[in-house]
Amino acid sequence: MVVSVSFVDSFQDGSSLVVGVYAGGELSASAKKMDDNGEISKNVAKMSFSGKLFETASFISANDNRKYILLVGLGEQDKIFSNYELQKLGAEIYSSASKFDDCFLAIGGEDVKSESSGTNLMISFGLLLKSWRFDKYKTKKDESIKLKDVKCVVTDVAAAENDFQPYKNLAQAIFLTREVVAEPANVIYPETFASRSLELFRAGVDVEVLGKQDMEKLGMNALLGVAQGSEHEPKMVILRWNGSENSSDAPIAFVGKGVTFDSGGISIKPSDHMEDMRHDMAGAGAVLGLLNAVALNKLPINVVGVMPLVENMPSGTAQRPGDIVKSMSGQTIEVLNTDAEGRLILADALWYTQDKFKPKAIIDLATLTGAIVIALGHEFAGLFSNSDLLAEKISASAKNTGEKVWRLPMTEHFDRGIDSDLADVQNCAKPGIRAGSITAAHFLKRFVNGTPWAHIDIAGVEITSGKMFICSDGATGFGVQLLYDFLSKIISSDDVFDANA
């Protein structure tokens, strides 16, 4: 369940109220209008509410027309909020107001200076994103969370409702990603993930599903090798949105790693936290959500999403360390570690994508390496690219959305580290090379054939247990808002992404 957000032109008696307070305890313009008999200003002083940014406090109103009043710190009056900060403000409001039955939000453009003109929209969007939670398997729900309806007070209700619809669509797409990432592996596996993907057809997305025999004909032996230990048949889902006026325009392509459960295979993982490996398809989940958002908002651009889906399991038929497979590209791969499986399925998916669709650029998302968590923790995703312009555009969208990325280097030294003595390439670097995330990115780079390409390693940011992202604990939906913003920005540009690195 998520909160319902709507817009009204006035406060309704009998509800709770949310107002903003600047640093030093000064009421915002909207708060002053609602300060009947000085109730709000008196309680700000009584509670020593500082108005520090994102600080919250509430009190029971003595006014019969109101239930609770929630104070929200807006910081310094001259502060200019980024879109992400406005979303975070909305998230803090939801966290503090969730105990209310309903509330009216009286914080708007006259109270907050921002980079965009949609102050109310961004606050409401953040509030909506924060309200999603995954509790479908709990027989007893959290009764402390009561908030179902939030009404935002604005001057033009019709305009606000119209302008907020794209954000509601984007939120719906993010929730789709969070849901499939959160589901256990006995619910989401290659066949069921593919079935969920077919639902996008209703939004106008062309959906194609390749089965095992299709991939055998294409020579996708790197992908099939990973899947051969599981009784679940591998799938590859191709999503196509033809939004450009010129259907022949080269698309932007997205490829998402879809290992629906990763035991490590024969190179089996330790049992501690192995249950979290149900999230190893978060890259595919992000591509699914992104294409859903693109279609719901009818972006005028051609977009392709490719999702290779496998389960990596140990069995008598499982791939062994030391096996050599021939990929779709023709390159041979020595498999030194069956737990370095994501790069194997992406090798065939990337080659298929660049060969079939001839895209302007390919961006892949993958929970690829534990090494990226050591390097960047749980705040940043790792960004790798052979195109400086592509990396710059992604980084700009990361700053705008708060889904942070950090670009890491790629050099010839690291590329040589994955040369194999027995095959063309090995799936783990030679001893002493280290830099596991970088060498993994170099492995992927060998399968894009010069196409402008970026790789986003989202291991460490696909789930959260803190306040790092605008969501409740669990699946973040990382990548959907980031790449939707990226696509929105390049629609009207003439940028050419050259592979120059």
Side-chain angles (χ1 to χ4, degrees):
M1 185 189 74
V2 296
V3 72
S4 172
V5 178
S6 58
F7 298 88
V8 295
D9 57 10
S10 61
F11 175 77
Q12 179 180 320
D13 289 348
S15 299
S16 297
L17 177 67
V18 181
V19 295
V21 180
Y22 297 122
E26 182 176 347
L27 301 190
S28 66
S30 296
K32 288 177 181 178
K33 294 177 183 178
M34 307 299 292
D35 192 22
D36 298 343
N37 301 317
E39 180 184 35
I40 298 176
S41 53
K42 289 175 184 176
N43 275 278
V44 167
K46 182 180 179 180
M47 300 168 69
S48 299
F49 187 76
S50 70
K52 179 182 177 182
L53 184 61
F54 304 130
E55 177 188 10
T56 61
S58 62
F59 59 89
I60 300 174
S61 176
N63 188 329
D64 291 339
N65 294 330
R66 300 170 183 167
K67 293 179 181 178
Y68 292 90
I69 294 180
L70 175 64
L71 308 175
V72 180
L74 302 178
E76 301 296 333
Q77 288 192 49
D78 58 353
K79 174 178 174 53
I80 299 177
F81 282 74
S82 67
N83 286 339
Y84 171 70
E85 287 173 323
L86 291 174
Q87 291 181 40
K88 186 176 179 181
L89 189 65
E92 294 295 336
I93 290 171
Y94 175 81
S95 296
S96 298
S98 61
K99 62 184 178 182
F100 304 159
D101 293 322
D102 62 2
C103 69
F104 280 71
L105 179 58
I107 300 175
E110 61 182 340
D111 306 315
V112 176
K113 299 176 182 177
S114 68
E115 296 174 348
S116 67
S117 58
T119 299
N120 300 99
L121 305 180
M122 297 309 297
I123 293 175
S124 299
F125 182 50
L127 194 152
L128 182 58
L129 290 179
K130 182 68 175 180
S131 71
W132 185 92
R133 59 190 181 278
F134 190 74
D135 60 1
K136 66 182 289 187
Y137 296 111
K138 287 184 175 290
T139 57
K140 294 183 179 180
K141 308 299 183 184
D142 186 348
E143 295 181 356
S144 68
I145 300 175
K146 300 178 180 179
L147 188 62
K148 295 182 176 63
D149 297 297
V150 175
K151 294 179 172 60
C152 185
V153 180
V154 296
T155 55
D156 190 334
V157 174
E161 291 282 4
N162 182 71
D163 293 343
F164 191 58
Q165 187 59 50
Y167 292 102
K168 289 176 70 174
N169 290 339
L170 179 55
Q172 178 181 328
I174 292 171
F175 297 156
L176 172 61
T177 294
R178 290 179 181 176
E179 182 183 347
V180 296
V181 173
E183 288 281 11
N186 63 321
V187 174
I188 290 293
Y189 43 91
E191 297 95 328
T192 55
F193 192 111
S195 295
R196 290 298 304 269
S197 303
L198 291 170
E199 296 174 12
L200 268 63
F201 181 79
R202 293 197 298 268
V205 178
D206 291 333
V207 185
E208 181 182 5
V209 180
L210 303 184
K212 181 180 178 181
Q213 291 184 341
D214 299 313
M215 290 184 276
E216 286 175 342
K217 292 177 182 178
L218 290 168
M220 293 185 172
N221 299 307
L223 185 155
L224 293 169
V226 175
Q228 70 188 43
S230 172
E231 62 182 25
H232 288 298
E233 181 179 310
K235 302 289 182 182
M236 180 176 283
V237 178
I238 299 100
L239 306 173
R240 279 174 282 190
W241 170 255
N242 297 311
S244 174
E245 292 183 0
N246 185 354
S247 60
S248 64
D249 283 348
I252 302 293
F254 299 90
V255 178
K257 172 187 171 183
V259 180
T260 59
F261 187 78
D262 181 20
S263 69
I266 297 298
S267 307
I268 196 164
K269 294 177 180 290
S271 60
D272 286 351
H273 304 295
M274 191 192 283
E275 67 275 10
D276 289 339
M277 290 300 101
R278 69 186 186 274
H279 305 307
D280 210 19
M281 35 61 69
V287 171
L288 181 69
L290 176 63
L291 267 291
N292 193 24
V294 168
L296 289 174
N297 285 332
K298 295 180 170 52
L299 289 191
I301 187 171
N302 292 340
V303 183
V304 169
V306 176
M307 300 174 292
L309 306 170
V310 302
E311 186 179 58
N312 186 26
M313 298 291 283
S315 74
T317 62
Q319 185 167 253
R320 297 154 293 261
D323 284 1
I324 294 177
V325 295
K326 186 177 182 180
S327 68
M328 182 183 176
S329 71
Q331 299 174 78
T332 55
I333 303 169
E334 182 183 10
V335 180
L336 298 182
N337 187 328
T338 64
D339 193 26
E341 85 299 330
R343 64 201 71 181
L344 295 175
I345 70 170
L346 288 173
D348 281 339
L350 287 167
W351 188 267
Y352 172 84
T353 302
Q354 63 85 25
D355 185 58
K356 182 175 179 63
F357 298 108
K358 307 295 189 295
K360 294 178 182 177
I362 300 177
I363 300 172
D364 77 75
L365 300 97
T367 48
L368 203 66
T369 65
I372 202 68
V373 183
I374 296 172
L376 299 177
H378 295 281
E379 184 176 1
F380 289 84
L383 173 63
F384 306 83
S385 185
N386 63 3
S387 168
D388 291 338
L389 180 58
L390 183 58
E392 288 169 8
K393 294 290 184 181
I394 294 171
S395 296
S397 288
K399 182 178 180 181
N400 190 47
T401 61
E403 294 191 340
K404 301 176 184 177
V405 300
W406 192 269
R407 189 179 183 187
L408 281 84
M410 300 184 72
T411 67
E412 185 64 28
H413 164 73
F414 293 115
D415 188 64
R416 289 196 304 270
I418 55 172
D419 287 337
S420 168
D421 295 332
L422 300 178
D424 296 323
V425 62
Q426 59 192 42
N427 77 329
C428 290
K430 291 179 169 62
I433 296 293
R434 300 186 184 277
S437 297
I438 297 175
T439 54
H442 272 283
F443 182 94
L444 299 181
K445 183 182 177 183
R446 295 198 181 195
F447 298 89
V448 295
N449 202 27
T451 302
W453 156 83
H455 159 58
I456 306 176
D457 193 334
I458 62 173
V461 297
E462 82 283 10
I463 56 173
T464 186
S465 58
K467 290 188 175 182
M468 201 70 72
F469 300 98
I470 299 176
C471 60
S472 301
D473 288 354
T476 62
F478 188 101
V480 179
Q481 189 180 174
L482 165 67
L483 295 175
Y484 182 86
D485 185 87
F486 164 79
L487 285 174
S488 299
K489 297 292 193 302
I490 66 171
I491 286 173
S492 59
S493 71
D494 297 320
D495 294 326
V496 176
F497 300 115
D498 293 329
N500 53 21

